[in-house]
Amino acid sequence: MDHVISKTSAAKIADLSAQAAQAQDVVSNDKKANAAVVAAPAANSNTGMPVEDLITIRKDHDEWVDGAYARSNAALYTLMARCLDAYQRMVGKPAQITAFHSECDRAGLSFKKSTGVLQRIVSYVFAGAGRRRTSAYTRVLVVAHKAKIVPDELHVWIAREGGVEEIRRKGSEGLTAKQKMEANVAAATSAVASATPFTVIEGAKLYMPEASTKFVAALARTTSDGSLEVIGFVTDDATEPIDNTRQIAQSVTTRADFGLPKDAVVLCCFNNSYKISPREFVIWMRLLGKIEGSVLWLLKGNKWAVANLRKEAVRQGIDPLRLIFADLLPHAEHLARHKHADIFVDTFNYNAHTTTADALWAGLPVVTKQGNQFAARVAASLLSAVGLPELITQNETDYEALILDLATSPHKLQALREKLAINRLTQPLFDTKRYTRNFEAGLTAAFDLYHTDQDPQDIWV
């Protein structure tokens, strides 16, 4: 529908614009004048509930704009102090914040969901002052709140800092929002990699013990001053959601169909060949030397990778034909062929991620060595979530010893398979619905913290 503005309406709008322009001139950078400001104590104007106070403050602002004292910094700072006081009494009280949002709706003010409570308060009270001014006032109050300035001392603090515009200017210097976000993500990534207690942003401490297999997901939020902060939450299930409706082909196959010996131990690693480093490959070759007739079943990459791996096997004294390479198959058939392997042996620097999930879903035990950075800890997380922590090792010696023990102890290996068959249907790893609900709970908790203007904090789901 087109909007038609009458001459009378246009005149009123022009008059309101003139009033707003006058209001925008109230902030002075005259430090001498600011230093002499003596504002009325905020507490004297805020004896009731925060929302009721804000309605009164808004009326006082309208009178201030219309009055002869519109250029008085003292009056402006008093209004700002009363806003800060109402905000501080509203923080952590969802019912009060909800009531205030309803009052904003009643007043015809609409905000983005990401708009903070303090910014809404300033926009509500100083309606018509213009975006630049309300942004400046919001910035001042955000900085004051973080600096733990009490409302009664706000006017003195503003004067000491050089005035509203000076505080706003200082706040806009330094990193851009994009740069802050990149720095926060880098900090979170670095912290996860080192697996030590860390702080993503001020006030948000995320704990990650050295031996933990839990991982941190970092979320970003936009604050009222336009900067981006990271909020983190921890889930005890796994590093990734896993679809528990994937089909495993029911076709009947034998080891011979894949070029595998009928009765020998088959060590398997379906990781991409670029994940294989000399450290684990040497161990695999030693294991082939210790386990009579055993073979190593690998995923076929390009012809150069196949040739180089077989050449390295020869250097380690192993017949290159004991390395058997698997062609790519449709996913359901790929899952089905896992039943012909005995043990999935993991890579070190870059674990099997989805590949570990595939093996476990297909019923194949996975042995891993837990590393220090994210990519080297994923398999340990998945094994913990499926209830098989006994397959997680901490060093290369234990990794090799565990594989050798299982490969030469059929009863132990069978017991693990039976345990996995039960756990895959009862443990958290493949409980997709539980993962989804926990993830949603974490997002909701972070969202609630933001919209009740609380400081970032750990979220456990």
Side-chain angles (χ1 to χ4, degrees):
M1 179 183 292
D2 294 333
H3 295 278
V4 180
I5 301 177
S6 66
K7 292 183 178 180
T8 303
S9 297
K12 288 183 179 179
I13 292 173
D15 183 52
L16 289 174
S17 298
Q19 293 179 11
Q22 182 183 32
Q24 291 178 13
D25 292 332
V26 301
V27 178
S28 169
N29 284 320
D30 185 344
K31 295 185 179 181
K32 292 183 179 179
N34 287 337
V37 171
V38 179
N44 293 339
S45 302
N46 293 279
T47 56
M49 300 298 286
V51 177
E52 297 171 354
D53 297 340
L54 287 171
I55 294 173
T56 301
I57 298 169
R58 192 176 196 225
K59 291 179 180 178
D60 290 346
H61 167 260
D62 293 340
E63 295 176 2
W64 171 67
V65 170
D66 292 335
Y69 58 98
R71 293 182 179 275
S72 166
N73 280 340
L76 169 64
Y77 296 168
T78 297
L79 289 171
M80 292 176 65
R82 292 168 67 188
C83 288
L84 180 61
D85 178 64
Y87 168 73
Q88 291 178 344
R89 290 187 292 119
M90 194 181 292
V91 169
K93 299 176 181 177
Q96 283 293 317
I97 293 174
T98 300
F100 171 60
H101 289 172
S102 298
E103 170 58 23
C104 289
D105 292 340
R106 188 201 62 77
L109 299 175
S110 60
F111 301 97
K112 294 180 179 179
K113 289 184 177 181
S114 59
T115 304
V117 174
L118 188 51
Q119 185 175 354
R120 296 185 187 212
I121 288 175
V122 172
S123 299
Y124 172 82
V125 170
F126 293 93
R131 182 175 180 179
R132 183 173 182 275
R133 288 301 172 196
T134 55
S135 176
Y137 300 162
T138 300
R139 177 60 189 167
V140 169
L141 295 183
V142 166
V143 174
H145 179 63
K146 288 185 176 180
K148 302 187 184 305
I149 303 300
V150 298
D152 287 346
E153 297 176 0
L154 181 69
H155 63 291
V156 176
W157 175 77
I158 292 176
R160 186 172 63 244
E161 295 295 319
V164 170
E165 283 299 323
E166 181 66 15
I167 296 172
R168 184 201 63 78
R169 185 187 64 78
K170 289 179 180 177
S172 64
E173 292 177 346
L175 298 177
T176 64
K178 184 175 184 296
Q179 289 171 328
K180 289 179 181 179
M181 180 60 182
E182 291 173 347
N184 283 333
V185 171
T189 302
S190 174
V192 171
S194 61
T196 56
F198 64 99
T199 301
V200 174
I201 56 170
E202 56 182 3
K205 297 181 184 294
L206 303 178
Y207 180 66
M208 193 172 187
E210 190 68 35
S212 174
T213 55
K214 299 174 183 177
F215 290 90
V216 175
L219 304 177
R221 76 169 189 176
T222 304
T223 64
S224 56
D225 65 351
S227 64
L228 292 173
E229 294 181 338
V230 170
I231 300 174
F233 66 90
V234 179
T235 176
D236 65 353
D237 294 345
T239 62
E240 57 186 57
I242 299 172
D243 180 8
N244 61 1
T245 64
R246 292 175 298 163
Q247 297 298 310
I248 300 176
Q250 299 302 308
S251 54
V252 178
T253 59
T254 66
R255 280 189 167 188
D257 294 326
F258 300 99
L260 300 171
K262 181 179 179 181
D263 298 318
V265 171
V266 176
L267 303 181
C268 164
C269 182
F270 287 145
N271 280 341
N272 286 307
S273 56
Y274 61 76
K275 292 187 178 183
I276 302 173
S277 76
R279 291 165 55 205
E280 61 264 20
F281 191 79
V282 168
I283 292 175
W284 296 345
M285 294 304 99
R286 282 203 300 266
L287 288 167
L288 292 185
K290 295 175 182 178
I291 307 169
E292 184 178 357
S294 60
V295 297
L296 178 63
W297 197 14
L298 302 172
L299 189 67
K300 183 184 290 185
N302 57 59
K303 61 182 180 180
W304 299 282
V306 171
N308 287 333
L309 288 169
R310 282 185 165 154
K311 183 189 299 183
E312 185 59 28
V314 172
R315 288 185 57 189
Q316 299 295 325
I318 299 298
D319 182 348
L321 295 181
R322 293 176 69 181
L323 272 60
I324 300 172
F325 292 89
D327 293 316
L328 295 178
L329 290 178
H331 194 249
E333 295 178 30
H334 170 64
L335 291 176
R337 68 179 166 189
H338 282 76
K339 64 188 175 186
H340 298 304
D342 292 298
I343 306 169
F344 187 105
V345 292
D346 197 16
T347 46
F348 294 164
N349 295 329
Y350 195 154
N351 288 170
H353 293 190
T354 302
T355 315
T356 293
D358 285 347
L360 295 174
W361 181 243
L364 178 62
V366 177
V367 175
T368 190
K369 182 184 79 67
Q370 182 172 274
N372 292 322
Q373 43 84 20
F374 175 86
R377 298 170 67 89
V378 171
S381 175
L382 298 175
L383 286 167
S384 293
V386 81
L388 291 174
E390 61 266 39
L391 296 180
I392 303 169
T393 63
Q394 302 299 324
N395 55 63
E396 294 177 16
T397 300
D398 290 346
Y399 171 84
E400 183 174 352
L402 178 57
I403 295 171
L404 181 60
D405 182 42
L406 293 175
T408 56
S409 305
H411 63 287
K412 290 184 179 179
L413 193 55
Q414 181 59 31
L416 272 174
R417 284 183 174 275
E418 292 173 359
K419 181 178 180 180
L420 176 56
I422 295 172
N423 288 7
R424 67 189 285 274
L425 301 177
T426 58
Q427 293 294 309
L429 180 59
F430 296 112
D431 190 343
T432 308
K433 182 176 291 187
R434 169 178 168 167
Y435 185 98
T436 303
R437 295 292 174 261
N438 284 346
F439 189 78
E440 289 173 342
L443 293 175
T444 301
F447 189 78
D448 290 343
L449 283 174
Y450 172 70
H451 278 285
T452 54
D453 259 46
Q454 299 183 61
D455 290 332
Q457 57 188 265
D458 294 355
I459 299 173
W460 298 87
V461 294

